[in-house]
Amino acid sequence: MRKGTDTARAELTALLDAHPEIEFVDAAIADICGTLRGKRLPVADAAKLFDSGMQIPASLHLMDVRGEMMNPSGRGYTDGDPDGTAWPIAGTIMQVWGADPPRAQMLMDFRDDKGAVLAHDPRAILRRVLDRFDELKLTPVAAHELEFYLVDPKRDARGAPQPPLNPRSGARENAHSVYGLDDLDRYQGFLTALHEAAAMQNVPVSAASKEYAPGQFEANLRHQTNALAASDHAIFLRQIVKAAALKENCQATFMAKPYAERIGSGQHVHVSLVDAKGKNVFDDGSDTGSEMLRFVAGGMAALMPESMAFFAPSLNSYRRFAPDMFAPVNRRWGINNRSAGLRVPVGPSSARRIEHRCAGADANPYLVMAAVLAGAHHGIVNRIDPGPPAMGNVSHDPDRALPFSLESALKLLENAKNIPDYFGAEGTRLYRETKAEELARFKKIISADEYEWYL
C-alpha cells in the first residue's frame, strides 16, 4: 500500500456505506486533452486500488482527441508500452451523477514503474508550477469558467452541428441572445440537472448564464485556494455538463468553434494571489490593482506566445480568434475590458484579480492553469511591466508575436525558452510531439468540401 492512501480509502468506504447501491468504481486519469481514461472495477474489487494501485500503460496521457496512441519520442509502440502504477487521490472520490448502474469515481496519481512522477502528466505539471509559488510564499487563488454549446444530437445534411430545438416550441433555436433569463427558463431542465450533478460530484458551480449564440451557455466555478482542485473541478464540470445535456435530449460540446460564423467557446481563468497572512497582494484599494498585479499581467503577456499550443490545442481552436468575437487577438491588459486578453474585472478591491481570456473550452484545464500561473510567476520574479492598460475595443489589433495557427504555435513551443523551465523539458516535448502527430494525421483526411472544391 502506498503512503497516503488511507484517507482516500476512508472516503470511498464512507461513500459506499452511504450509497450501497453503487456497483462499480472508475479509476480515472485525465490525458493531455483533458479526457478521462482509466479502468472500471466492480465495487468488490475496488480495495486493490489502495493496496497495490492500478497498473496501466504509462503512455495513457499521450493520446490524441480520439484516444489514438501517438508514440511521441517512442513512448508507446516503440518502448513496448510499459505500465506505470496509479494511486487514488484523496478528495476526488465521488458518486457519478446519472450513472446506470450506479458507480463511483476517483482521480488517480500516476507514477512510472519506479514510482517517479510522469513528466507528461498534466496534473503533475500543474503541481510542478505551483511549487514555484511556495518559494515566493504566495498562494494562487483560482477558478475556471467554461463556455459550451448545447447542440441537437442530429447533424445537418453536411454532418455539421445544429442548434438545439426550443424545449417550448420545438422550433430550431436561431436567435443571438446573451444573459437572457427567458433563455434560462427554456433550458431550466438542463440547468436543474446540471446543479443536481454538481451537488452530487462536489463541483462548486456558482452560476450559469446564457451566452451570445443560440444554444451557448457558460458555467462559473467558485474560486479555490488549491489550484489543483480548481482544475479538477473544471475536468468534472465538462463531465457533468455532458451528462446533464444528454438527460435533456441534447449534446454538449466544448469544441472551441463549432459554427464558423458564430462566437467560439472560451475557458477563462481567474487568478489572484494571497500572501502568508491571507491578504490579496493584487489589492491596493484602487480599480487598477497593485504593482504586483501589473507584474503578473506583464508575465502572462510575455509567456502567452509560448503557451498558445496549450491554450489552443487543435486546428479548430484557432478559429476563435477574430475581431469582435470576445477571443483575444493580442496580449493587452485592461480594466473592465473584455476585448483585452487579460481583464481586471470590477468589484470589491479585496477581490481584485486577473481574468486570463485566451484559452479555448477545448483545452486541458490543468495545462491551461499551469501556463497561466507560469506567466504569473515569470512576471513577478522578472518584474515585467505590461505597459498601460488598453482603452476601448482592441480586438482589431492582432499581435504579431502570437501564433494564430497550430503549426505556428507548436513551432514556438519547440523553441520556447521559458515554458520548458516551468513544465519540464520532457513533458513539454512529449506534449508538442503528440499534438504535432495528431495534426499530421488530421491533415491527411480528405474532407467533403475538398472533394466539392477540387474533384
Side-chain angles (χ1 to χ4, degrees), residues 101-357:
R103 69 177 188 270
Q105 72 180 5
M106 62 183 75
L107 293 180
M108 307 291 284
D109 181 26
F110 202 3
R111 305 294 175 116
D112 68 15
D113 57 356
K114 296 179 177 59
V117 171
L118 292 169
H120 52 274
D121 179 349
R123 202 172 188 274
I125 288 172
L126 174 54
R127 189 164 55 236
R128 176 188 171 113
V129 174
L130 287 170
D131 288 344
R132 303 286 283 269
F133 285 89
D134 292 341
E135 303 164 5
L136 301 178
K137 295 182 172 53
L138 294 172
T139 300
V141 178
H144 295 259
E145 294 176 350
L146 284 167
E147 296 169 339
F148 57 90
Y149 275 92
L150 298 182
V151 299
D152 192 327
K154 297 179 181 179
R155 302 292 178 256
D156 69 13
R158 295 178 61 83
Q162 304 181 91
L165 301 178
N166 183 319
R168 290 176 176 171
S169 69
R172 178 97 42 217
E173 296 279 13
N174 60 16
H176 289 89
S177 174
V178 65
Y179 294 118
L181 294 180
D182 184 61
D183 297 293
L184 298 182
D185 289 342
R186 294 200 304 277
Y187 290 91
Q188 187 57 53
F190 163 74
L191 295 172
T192 297
L194 176 60
H195 284 281
E196 288 176 356
M200 176 178 284
Q201 295 194 206
N202 302 314
V203 180
V205 176
S206 63
S209 57
K210 175 66 179 63
E211 278 297 327
Y212 191 72
Q216 191 184 32
F217 295 83
E218 179 182 80
N220 301 342
L221 292 162
R222 292 188 182 90
H223 292 231
Q224 306 294 315
T225 54
N226 182 339
L228 274 174
S231 295
D232 290 341
H233 294 156
I235 290 287
F236 294 136
L237 178 61
R238 299 208 299 198
Q239 181 187 44
I240 64 175
V241 163
K242 290 179 179 180
L246 288 175
K247 185 177 183 295
E248 297 301 310
N249 301 312
C250 285
Q251 179 182 0
T253 179
F254 293 90
M255 186 178 186
K257 187 79 167 179
Y259 302 106
E261 302 304 322
R262 290 174 174 151
I263 198 166
S265 291
Q267 177 178 174
H268 304 155
V269 176
H270 290 249
V271 173
S272 60
L273 297 171
V274 297
D275 62 19
K277 296 181 179 179
K279 181 184 184 302
N280 181 355
V281 299
F282 289 175
D283 175 21
D284 66 353
S286 71
D287 291 338
T288 56
S290 67
E291 181 182 56
M292 184 74 80
L293 180 148
R294 291 189 287 277
F295 290 155
V296 167
M300 288 177 174
L303 292 199
M304 196 180 289
E306 290 185 10
S307 304
M308 281 291 281
F310 301 105
F311 296 147
S314 74
L315 185 151
N316 176 263
S317 306
Y318 294 84
R319 300 186 189 279
R320 278 182 63 235
F321 302 108
D324 299 329
M325 286 290 185
F326 295 107
V329 296
N330 56 51
R331 298 174 289 164
R332 303 286 297 279
W333 74 293
I335 312 301
N336 195 22
N337 187 340
R338 281 187 172 83
S339 74
L342 304 168
R343 181 175 79 112
V344 179
V346 296
S349 62
S350 60
R352 191 67 64 230
R353 64 193 186 274
I354 294 178
E355 179 189 24
H356 195 296
R357 298 175 56 82

Side-chain angles (χ1 to χ4, degrees), residues 5-27:
T5 58
D6 287 347
T7 301
R9 186 196 294 270
E11 289 176 359
L12 181 61
T13 298
L15 180 64
L16 296 179
D17 287 345
H19 298 280
E21 71 277 11
I22 291 175
E23 297 184 25
F24 295 94
V25 176
D26 287 353

Side-chain angles (χ1 to χ4, degrees), residues 31 33 35 37 63-68 313-314 362 435 438:
D31 69 10
C33 299
T35 301
R37 304 191 184 280
M63 304 289 167
D64 72 1
V65 292
R66 304 166 301 167
E68 287 269 348
S314 74
D362 55 341
K435 285 299 176 182
E438 176 185 314

